[in-house]
Amino acid sequence: MHQLAIDPGHGYIKGLSAHKRILIPALIHSVSSTVSIGGLGRTGVTRIDGRPYLVGKAAQRLATPLWSRDKSVDDDTLRLILVAAAELGASGPVQLATDLPLSWYRNQQRSFKKALRGYGGTVVRPDGKEVRLWFETVLVFPQGAAAAGPVLAHESFEPGPYLVVDPGERTTEFLVVIKETDGHLTFDTVSAGSLEIGMHSVHTAVAETLSQQYQTKFTPAQVAAEDFVVVRGEKIDITEERQRQETHMVRAISKGLAERLDDEMDKVLGMIAVGGGGGAIARLIPGAVKPDDAEWANAQGCLAALEEWPAQPGSIPGVV
C-alpha cells in the first residue's frame, strides 16, 4: 500500500513519498472546455472522475487561492490532495498523513480526517496516465509540530528549548519545543499558536504595486513564484519589491510573537524558521536559522510518523 505525506498549504501542496516529492501551486479551476492544439502541445487539463480541471500552474491565470478556514468542507482542497497523490504515483488504497494549522487543529482534525478517509476518485493526469485511488488510512498532525521532529533531530541542535516559526501562505505557526537529552521532543502547548499572516500578504502587496505602477492587472498567484514579470515586451525584475514586502511581513510576525510569547522568547536557545517564508525570517531576524530543506519539514515529519504507524498511532517520531 502506498504511504504518502501531503501538506495542503494555502500557497502550495507539498507531496512526499519514500521515493518522490512534488510541489503544486494550490490552485484549481473547473473548465467546461479547452482548445485543441493537436500535437503541438498540451493544455494541462487534469480530469477527476471525468470532469476537467486546470490544476497548479496551469490554473494560475484563472483560479483564486484556496482560502477556506475549514478544509474538511472545501471540495477543492480535497481534490488537490487527490491530484497530489496521483502525481506521486499512487493507485489503489493509500495511507495518507496530512496536517492543519496549529490553531485550527483541535477543532478540525477529526472532521478533516473523516472527510478524507474513503475519499477517492479516478484521476487522469495531463500526460494521459489514468489512476484510480482512495485514502484508506488518514493521520492528521498539527503544522509546526510535524516540522520539529525532522529539524531538531539534527545533531547540530543541542538539547534545550527552541522556538519553531513556520510562516506559510496564510498563517504563521509558532511553538516552543524542548529537545530532551535522549533526543525526544516535548512541546510547551501554552507557548504555541498561529498568527493570521503569511506569504500571501507579500504576494498581494507585490501584485498591487505592479498593477498600480504599470497600469495592468497582476494577481498574487502570478507573482508568487516568479523573479520577473513581463509588461509590454519588457522583463521587470520583482525580487527587490518582494524583499521589501517580506520585511513588512517579518515585522508583523515579530510583533505578533512578542505579543503572544512575551518573555518566553528570551528563554530559548534559538529561533528555527521553517516553511515557505522561513528564508525571510532567517534573513531578517538576527540569530534565526533556516535548516536545509526546511520548506519540506512538515511533510517529512508526517511521512516519518506514517512509516512508524500503527506502532505509535497518532504520534510523531521523537515527540512525546
Side-chain angles (χ1 to χ4, degrees), residues 205-288:
V206 171
E208 289 176 351
T209 297
L210 291 172
S211 298
Q212 292 171 7
Q213 184 173 352
Y214 296 102
Q215 295 300 298
T216 187
K217 184 173 177 57
F218 287 93
T219 66
Q222 289 173 324
V223 303
E226 305 297 337
D227 291 332
F228 68 87
V229 295
V230 176
V231 181
R232 292 182 281 276
E234 181 183 357
K235 282 187 175 182
I236 308 297
D237 190 307
I238 63 174
T239 54
E240 185 175 338
E241 178 62 23
R242 178 183 290 117
Q243 290 180 358
R244 189 172 74 87
Q245 298 301 338
E246 285 177 347
T247 299
H248 295 316
M249 178 195 71
V250 172
R251 285 174 180 165
I253 290 173
S254 297
K255 181 180 178 182
L257 290 173
E259 291 172 350
R260 298 282 292 274
L261 296 176
D262 199 16
D263 292 342
E264 293 305 311
M265 288 187 66
D266 298 325
K267 301 173 184 177
V268 296
L269 288 173
M271 179 185 294
I272 301 172
V274 299
I281 294 285
R283 188 177 76 251
L284 296 167
I285 296 182

Side-chain angles (χ1 to χ4, degrees), residues 16-269:
L16 191 65
S17 71
H19 309 291
K20 186 177 181 181
R21 62 172 59 178
I22 55 104
L23 182 69
I24 305 172
L27 299 168
I28 184 168
H29 184 77
S30 177
V31 291
S32 56
S33 63
T34 58
V35 175
S36 174
I37 54 176
L40 297 177
R42 299 192 182 97
T43 55
V45 171
T46 297
R47 294 184 178 274
I48 304 173
D49 290 334
R51 187 171 181 180
Y53 294 88
L54 297 177
V55 175
K57 195 167 184 177
Q60 213 167 46
R61 295 179 61 188
L62 299 172
T64 56
L66 303 185
W67 222 238
S68 172
R69 292 188 63 87
D70 190 345
K71 292 177 184 279
S72 66
V73 297
D74 184 6
D75 290 338
D76 281 342
T77 294
L78 302 183
R79 292 187 187 107
L80 281 170
I81 293 174
L82 186 69
V83 170
E87 290 290 339
L88 285 168
S91 62
V94 174
Q95 291 183 335
L96 172 69
T98 187
D99 55 19
L100 285 169
L102 270 170
S103 61
W104 303 3
Y105 180 77
R106 182 184 297 273
N107 294 328
Q108 296 185 22
Q109 64 101 359
R110 288 185 179 178
S111 60
F112 194 37
K113 183 176 182 178
K114 183 178 179 180
L116 282 166
R117 185 185 289 160
Y119 181 80
T122 299
V123 178
V124 182
R125 293 165 28 180
D127 62 6
K129 183 175 181 179
E130 178 177 323
V131 293
R132 168 73 181 169
L133 64 118
W134 62 93
F135 301 121
E136 186 164 293
T137 301
V138 178
L139 304 180
V140 182
F141 299 103
Q143 291 172 8
V151 170
L152 287 174
H154 198 278
E155 61 184 11
S156 62
F157 294 104
E158 63 179 301
Y162 294 88
L163 174 59
V164 176
V165 182
D166 179 7
E169 185 72 6
R170 174 172 177 165
T171 62
T172 294
E173 320 309 318
F174 64 91
L175 69 162
V176 172
V177 183
I178 299 93
K179 182 177 182 178
E180 307 292 350
T181 55
D182 63 0
H184 278 76
L185 307 181
T186 57
F187 297 126
D188 180 352
T189 54
V190 175
S191 303
S194 301
L195 303 173
E196 289 283 336
I197 185 170
M199 289 298 292
H200 185 72
S201 66
V202 173
H203 306 323
T204 299
V206 171
E208 289 176 351
T209 297
L210 291 172
S211 298
Q212 292 171 7
Q213 184 173 352
Y214 296 102
Q215 295 300 298
T216 187
K217 184 173 177 57
F218 287 93
T219 66
Q222 289 173 324
V223 303
E226 305 297 337
D227 291 332
F228 68 87
V229 295
V230 176
V231 181
R232 292 182 281 276
E234 181 183 357
K235 282 187 175 182
I236 308 297
D237 190 307
I238 63 174
T239 54
E240 185 175 338
E241 178 62 23
R242 178 183 290 117
Q243 290 180 358
R244 189 172 74 87
Q245 298 301 338
E246 285 177 347
T247 299
H248 295 316
M249 178 195 71
V250 172
R251 285 174 180 165
I253 290 173
S254 297
K255 181 180 178 182
L257 290 173
E259 291 172 350
R260 298 282 292 274
L261 296 176
D262 199 16
D263 292 342
E264 293 305 311
M265 288 187 66
D266 298 325
K267 301 173 184 177
V268 296
L269 288 173

